[in-house]
Amino acid sequence: MAVAEAAPVGATPEPVRFDTKIAVLLREDLETWQRLNVTAFLVSGLGTELPEVIGQPYEDADGVPCLPMFRQPVLVFEGTKETLKAAHARVLSRSLPRAVFTSDLFATGNDRDNRAAVRAVPTADLDLVGLAVYGPRNAVDKVLKGARMHP
């Protein structure tokens, strides 16, 4: 895990490089509001189960604290329904940490009903509209094969 250290005054800091990747894959036919909603829900699960993805708390120049966020960028991709299905199969075969969002979740209004909607559908039949994944860069890249960066 890369950790950014403060550079001496006047020195050019070394770029921070990560050996891991956080990525979200969205189905290309989603409305704009759905893309934003799905992305927010998907990434919310990563920090709760993977504390290593969370950086240090923020503080402004006046000492006002803010919550910590991910320590590295979140890359957002898009693809077809088939691309999502294939990516889901690959993420399962690699046992990478993941979060899913299915089309059924647009009709629910709370966590209990969301979990029940996912639980009601066999893995192979999930109508995925979004997938978040975290892991080694090369493994995440393989999961996302066929996806393209979100415009």
Side-chain angles (χ1 to χ4, degrees):
M1 165 177 13
V3 177
E5 297 289 331
V9 176
T12 304
E14 287 291 321
V16 177
R17 300 195 196 289
F18 298 97
D19 56 354
T20 57
K21 184 180 268 188
I22 298 172
V24 173
L25 174 58
L26 302 171
R27 203 166 73 193
E28 65 186 0
D29 61 348
L30 297 179
E31 298 288 330
T32 300
W33 74 267
Q34 292 173 317
R35 290 171 185 255
L36 296 170
N37 184 264
V38 170
T39 300
F41 268 92
L42 286 171
V43 298
S44 71
L46 294 177
T48 60
E49 291 295 314
L50 304 162
E52 69 270 18
V53 302
I54 303 298
Q56 297 299 310
Y58 286 70
E59 184 177 287
D60 67 21
D62 294 324
V64 177
C66 296
L67 294 172
M69 296 186 280
F70 291 130
R71 66 181 180 87
Q72 66 190 88
V74 177
L75 302 172
V76 181
F77 296 82
E78 69 175 6
T80 64
K81 184 174 187 171
E82 294 75 23
T83 301
L84 253 118
K85 191 169 193 67
H88 187 242
R90 288 190 292 266
V91 79
L92 292 175
S93 73
R94 288 170 172 75
S95 300
L96 293 173
R98 69 232 164 242
V100 298
F101 197 105
T102 67
S103 63
D104 297 329
L105 303 188
F106 290 126
T108 60
N110 61 72
D111 185 54
R112 181 196 67 222
D113 293 342
N114 287 351
R115 285 182 284 110
V118 173
R119 187 178 298 115
V121 180
T123 303
D125 297 331
L126 291 171
D127 185 18
L128 296 169
V129 298
L131 172 72
V133 59
Y134 171 75
R137 291 180 66 84
N138 61 343
V140 172
D141 289 343
K142 288 177 183 173
V143 165
L144 298 174
K145 182 179 179 186
R148 59 193 172 279
M149 287 295 291
H150 191 281

